[in-house]
Structures are given as C-alpha cells and as structure tokens.
Amino acid sequence: MTRRSCAITVTGIISALLLVTGIGLVLSQAFRTLVHNRLKKEIVLVSGSKVFESWKNPPPPVFMEFFFFNVTNVNEFLKGAKPQVQQVGPYTYREYRYKENVSAVENASKVSAHTTKTFVFLSDKSVGDPVVDSITTVNIPAWAVMTKLKGSFWRANFVSILMNSVGSGLFTTRTVDELLWGYEDPLLVRVSATNPEVEKVFGLMYKKNGSNAGEMVYHTGQDNYLDYGRVDTWAGQSQLTFWTSNQSNSINGTDGSAFHPLLSKDERIYIFTPDLCRSIYMEFEKDVEVKGIPAYRFTPPRSVLASKEENPANEGFCVKPQECLGTGVLKVSPCRKGAPVVASFPHFHLAEEKYVAAIGGMAPQSRHHQTFLDLNPTTGVIVRANKRAQVNILLSRILGFPKTRTMNETIFPVMFLNESVVIDDASAAKLQKLLLIVSLGSNFPLIIVGLGAITLAAFIVLLIRARQQKNEVKRIVFTKALYATSTEDDTSYCPVSDKEKNDPQNGTFIGLTEKSDPQA
C-alpha cells in the first residue's frame, strides 16, 4: 500500500468516527444534559455559589419613577361633571435594595432574609422639585375615614361636621414630597385622639424608605432547580388571610428578583408581591435582545385582573359579592386597613373601557404602561424589567356625607409608579461569557459533526484526485507503449567500436543504424 492510499484510508476512518460519534452525542443530548445539570448546581441560594452575592446585593441600578394625576376641575366634578386629570411626572428616585439578616434555615434547604429598600431623589431624571411642586388629588385619609363609617349614619354625620371644622374636603392639594413620604393630616389627628391605632401621618410611601416588607423564607433550589428563589413564607405565614379562597390566598412564585434557569416559553412565571397582597403570573410574549443577550419577555395577561365572570379563578379576590369589580382593577382594601384602595395597571391598561372613559386624560398604551420581565432563558437572570402599577381610590355616595350625594361610583386614579432596571455593562459582559461557555459545551457534539464533515470532504477530494492521477498514469503508459513499438521496427542497436565499448571512463556507447534489408 502506497503512502497516498494509506492517507486516504486514515482520513476516511477518522471522518466516519467523527460523524458517528458526533451524531450519537447530538441524538443522546449528553453534553447538553451535562451542562444543564452543572447550571442547576451553580444557580442556588447557598453561600459561595455564583449567584448568592448578586442575589443579596443586586449590582444593576434600579429606578423608581412616580407619576401623579393632577385634577383640573374639582368643583365641576363635585357638581356632577366628568373629572379631568393631567399626568405630572416623573419624579425619579434611585432605589437601593439589599437583603439583610440572611441566614440558612431547615438544614440549608431554605434561606431567610429581609429586603430593605432606600430611595434617593434624582433631580436630573425628574420634571421638577417634589418639595415645591403641588398636586391636587383625592383626599385619601378623608375617604378612608368616611368608608369606615358606611352604615353608621349618626357617626358619619359627626365626622362630616368634624371634617368641616378642620377644613378637610374630598380633595386636597399637597406637594409631591408630602403625598409620597407623608404629612400630618388634620382629620387623622382628631380621629387618633380617640383611636390611638390610627396613624396621624399619611403618605403613599410612608415608612417605606429604609424599611422592609417583612421576613421572607426562600427555597434555595438545591433539591429542585424549579424552586430556586421561590417564596415559602412571608412574615411567618405560608398562606395569606386577606381573601376568601385558598387559591387566592396562596403564596406562589418568587419575590420578582430571581427566577430559575432553563426557562420555557410555555410556562407561567409566578411572582408574590406584598404591595398587591397577592401573587400574580406572567406569560411569554416574545423574544427580545438586551445588550446582545437573548431574552424571553414575560407579561401579565388580561386574565390576572379579570372579573370573576371572565376568569372564575378570581372570585376569591371578591371580599364581598357586592364589592366585585370589573376586569382590570383589584380592590385591595383587606390589606390596606379597609381604605378604599384599588390597584390597576397605569391608565387602566388591560381594563374594561368604562374605567378609561370615566376619567378624562386616560390614554393606555402598552409601550408606556405594560409591566414586563425580560429574562435570559438559560440562566433566568433579569436583563431588563419594568414593574408598573397604579393607585386608585374608589369614590361613591356615602350616607351621612352630603358632599358625596352627587357622586356615582368612580375608580379615581391618584398616581402610578414605574420601577425599572436594565442589566449593567459589567454584569452583561459576565453573562455573555457564561452563555458562550454554555453554548460551546452544549454544542460540542455539533463541533464534532462539523469536523467529521470537513474530514469527509477532504476524504472525497483525495479520492477524486487519486482517481484522476490513476487515469493519467494509464494514459501515459499507453502513449509510451505506442511509440516504443514504432521505433523497434525502424532501428537496430550496435556498439560503435570495441575500444569505446570497453572504455571505463566513457561507459558503453550504442550506435543506432538503420535496419538493412536482408534481401538486398
């Protein structure tokens, strides 16, 4: 066997081995399974894991924007006209969040922590000064007190007189800073004199700067990667008590800061949010890309805040049958000390048209008012997110308060917030590097198949060239044979001389002469 034929044989054997091995590994998914199992072991809430420190102190900056609805026709509304509001904002704060009192519990299968949030005002990202800018809006303390007295005519009359004496109306004008972080309300001051449990100070974010929402216990994900970051208990409770069904009172999902790896487009993402006093879910909407990182966008569907007629599973959120609202709004009075607070998406996004039409100035748009999460499906890391929610007050006619006699039931918007985050460049670079390693590991069998295909191509080229050279040799041999036959017929060979024949220096010489005709 020649050297060339040996090389062809070896190339063919190598290409066959690479192709068979690569295709076998692709079909068995062995490398992909190996890489995924490694991810599941690394992405756990255990001290020393790759994600533990970033879970405790998230590096990407979080921003909280507040938008208020300034009422421009209070007097006309009190006389029966349609209310008109004007959106004012944003007033932007940098939100710092970190987990404190972190400790392992139940043999390190779970971890407990308090998530503390602090807010710092950012003037360069805001429309004005919250200490100076004033907003005319619903007098929430007054409506909370009036709602408490529903059905008690004589007490309602007494409080109505009290409201007039302290100058507390159905609407109030306060600075943004007061509305957010608190002010001493004159009506609450008088009420607290006889009821010490009532706070004198009211603010939409009162006591929420530098505080936490209570202890949460999380699953680490060691036993099951799908449980990574899932909330087990909140404030010592594994079940809520605000609603009327076990399903509605269930604590499902994470706290919104962590999600399990290897996400699927078909699954629902559950999030427990103490601000809404319930769990919500999100579903896949579309593929997106953030800073070169692929992500799945999950958004809450209309069914999350749908009416009980549209989604029977939501019937448990009706504390009383007569208090069931329509699609797109949720009355959260049970966890707001009975205050007539209603939650929705900004500008009543995904809500029934009647809520939008009732307030002049509402213009819902998905681009500006949709809540969404962009999650990298391989790692579950949040690469971009916008949590948007609106605070509304349920206004209605209340017996004993003459100023409300012209009012129909109205869900009145007060303000909405936009809590946003985008992965920082340093974290994005680390994630891209990790995804490259995962991709190479998972697709290593394809690399083997590719090498097999290359060697197969080389094998085919070598075979073709060998065949061509073989044909060329046959052609040359045939040509030489043809000319050799004609020469033998025309010439004879003889030594030139005996002297030259035996000369060692000159070698042997042969003379060519024409053949003589033997008959001549």
Side-chain angles (χ1 to χ4, degrees):
M1 181 181 289
T2 64
R3 185 176 297 177
R4 181 180 295 278
S5 61
C6 183
I8 294 174
T9 303
V10 171
T11 303
I13 293 172
I14 292 174
S15 67
L17 287 174
L18 288 173
L19 286 171
V20 171
T21 303
I23 293 172
L25 290 173
V26 168
L27 294 177
S28 67
Q29 298 288 304
F31 272 79
R32 183 179 293 271
T33 302
L34 184 67
V35 172
H36 286 181
N37 287 339
R38 184 65 180 174
L39 273 176
K40 294 173 186 177
K41 289 182 179 180
E42 288 292 340
I43 302 180
V44 290
L45 296 181
V46 177
S47 180
S49 71
K50 292 186 179 299
V51 297
F52 193 62
E53 288 303 318
S54 61
W55 175 74
K56 290 197 300 181
N57 297 287
V62 180
F63 298 97
M64 180 72 88
E65 297 176 316
F66 297 99
F67 298 82
F68 286 86
F69 294 107
N70 186 54
V71 186
T72 59
N73 66 335
V74 172
N75 294 329
E76 291 80 0
F77 172 65
L78 293 177
K79 294 176 182 177
K82 178 179 176 178
Q84 299 292 327
V85 298
Q86 181 182 19
Q87 180 178 301
V88 181
Y91 294 91
T92 307
Y93 293 76
R94 170 71 189 274
E95 178 183 326
Y96 296 89
R97 54 167 66 194
Y98 49 92
K99 289 182 170 61
E100 293 184 307
N101 305 320
V102 179
S103 59
V105 295
E106 297 186 23
N107 296 322
S109 64
K110 298 172 185 175
V111 59
S112 64
H114 294 79
T115 301
T116 300
K117 298 180 181 181
T118 58
F119 301 89
V120 178
F121 180 66
L122 302 176
S123 58
D124 60 319
K125 293 181 178 291
S126 304
V127 296
D129 187 346
V131 178
V132 176
D133 297 353
S134 295
I135 301 293
T136 298
T137 186
V138 176
N139 189 346
I140 298 177
W143 282 97
V145 172
M146 290 190 296
T147 302
K148 275 280 190 180
L149 298 176
K150 267 188 176 182
S152 179
F153 179 76
W154 296 110
R155 290 178 64 193
N157 268 289
F158 172 75
V159 171
S160 178
I161 296 171
L162 184 62
M163 288 175 61
N164 290 330
S165 66
V166 297
S168 182
L170 303 182
F171 287 82
T172 185
T173 299
R174 297 282 178 178
T175 66
V176 170
D177 191 76
E178 288 177 322
L179 290 172
L180 284 176
W181 309 112
Y183 62 93
E184 191 172 87
D185 183 79
L187 178 60
L188 295 180
V189 170
R190 296 294 293 271
V191 173
S192 65
T194 56
N195 189 350
E197 294 181 359
V198 175
E199 286 271 8
K200 299 178 182 180
V201 177
F202 168 78
L204 294 165
M205 296 289 291
Y206 179 55
K207 290 185 176 180
K208 290 187 178 181
N209 196 353
S211 63
N212 62 76
E215 183 191 60
M216 285 191 180
V217 175
Y218 306 86
H219 290 266
T220 62
Q222 283 184 298
D223 298 330
N224 185 347
Y225 81 98
L226 294 174
D227 286 337
Y228 168 71
R230 183 169 66 84
V231 178
D232 184 56
T233 63
W234 172 54
Q237 297 179 313
S238 58
Q239 193 86 350
L240 303 176
T241 57
F242 303 123
W243 313 109
T244 59
S245 71
N246 290 332
Q247 182 178 356
S248 299
N249 280 318
S250 296
I251 297 177
N252 297 320
T254 74
D255 65 353
S257 65
F259 297 90
H260 69 78
L262 308 178
L263 291 164
S264 166
K265 292 181 179 181
D266 300 324
E267 67 179 294
R268 277 182 171 178
I269 300 295
Y270 283 87
I271 300 172
F272 171 66
T273 167
D275 292 333
L276 283 178
C277 314
R278 60 164 289 185
S279 299
I280 65 170
Y281 55 85
M282 297 187 180
E283 296 176 347
F284 174 79
E285 182 184 88
K286 62 181 179 180
D287 289 287
V288 296
E289 187 176 287
V290 180
K291 295 187 177 181
I293 300 170
Y296 292 166
R297 173 161 293 183
F298 287 87
T299 60
R302 178 182 168 95
S303 59
V304 170
L305 296 181
S307 65
K308 66 176 183 179
E309 290 77 20
E310 222 176 283
N311 183 6
N314 286 344
E315 186 172 0
F317 295 112
C318 301
V319 180
K320 298 177 182 177
Q322 64 270 25
E323 292 186 3
C324 275
L325 302 176
T327 292
V329 293
L330 173 69
K331 191 174 183 180
V332 292
S333 299
C335 63
R336 290 293 178 267
K337 299 179 180 180
V341 180
V342 176
S344 71
F345 294 117
H347 285 250
F348 300 110
H349 174 60
L350 298 182
E352 292 179 38
E353 179 60 29
K354 65 179 181 180
Y355 298 121
V356 178
I359 309 293
M362 295 290 99
Q365 300 176 36
S366 294
R367 179 182 176 186
H368 299 296
H369 306 136
Q370 181 187 55
T371 289
F372 67 84
L373 279 170
D374 291 342
L375 305 176
N376 174 252
T378 303
T379 61
V381 170
I382 300 172
V383 294
R384 180 171 55 197
N386 280 81
K387 172 189 171 183
R388 292 158 170 156
Q390 182 168 296
V391 176
N392 311 277
I393 300 297
L394 181 62
L395 309 184
S396 61
R397 187 181 299 112
I398 301 177
L399 191 64
F401 295 95
K403 292 181 180 180
T404 68
R405 62 178 179 270
T406 60
M407 286 191 179
N408 296 317
E409 185 173 275
T410 304
I411 296 180
F412 208 102
V414 176
M415 72 96 170
F416 77 85
L417 58 86
N418 176 26
E419 191 175 27
S420 62
V421 64
V422 178
I423 189 169
D424 60 290
D425 292 340
S427 299
K430 291 179 182 178
L431 181 55
Q432 286 174 333
K433 183 178 179 180
L434 174 61
L435 293 177
L436 178 60
I437 295 172
V438 170
S439 179
L440 290 175
S442 300
N443 296 315
F444 186 70
L446 294 178
I447 297 174
I448 296 176
V449 172
L451 291 174
I454 293 172
T455 53
L456 177 62
F459 173 69
I460 294 172
V461 170
L462 288 174
L463 278 179
I464 293 173
R465 292 184 63 182
R467 179 63 59 86
Q468 289 175 341
Q469 290 180 356
K470 186 176 182 181
N471 291 337
E472 182 68 20
V473 169
K474 287 183 177 179
R475 186 184 65 81
I476 293 172
V477 170
F478 175 77
T479 304
K480 285 184 176 180
L482 179 64
Y483 282 101
T485 301
S486 63
T487 304
E488 285 179 1
D489 291 340
D490 297 335
T491 60
S492 63
Y493 304 89
C494 63
V496 175
S497 66
D498 291 338
K499 180 181 178 181
E500 291 176 344
K501 175 181 177 182
N502 297 321
D503 190 343
Q505 294 182 357
N506 295 327
T508 301
F509 292 85
I510 298 175
L512 298 179
T513 61
E514 291 186 2
K515 278 189 176 181
S516 58
D517 188 349
Q519 294 179 358

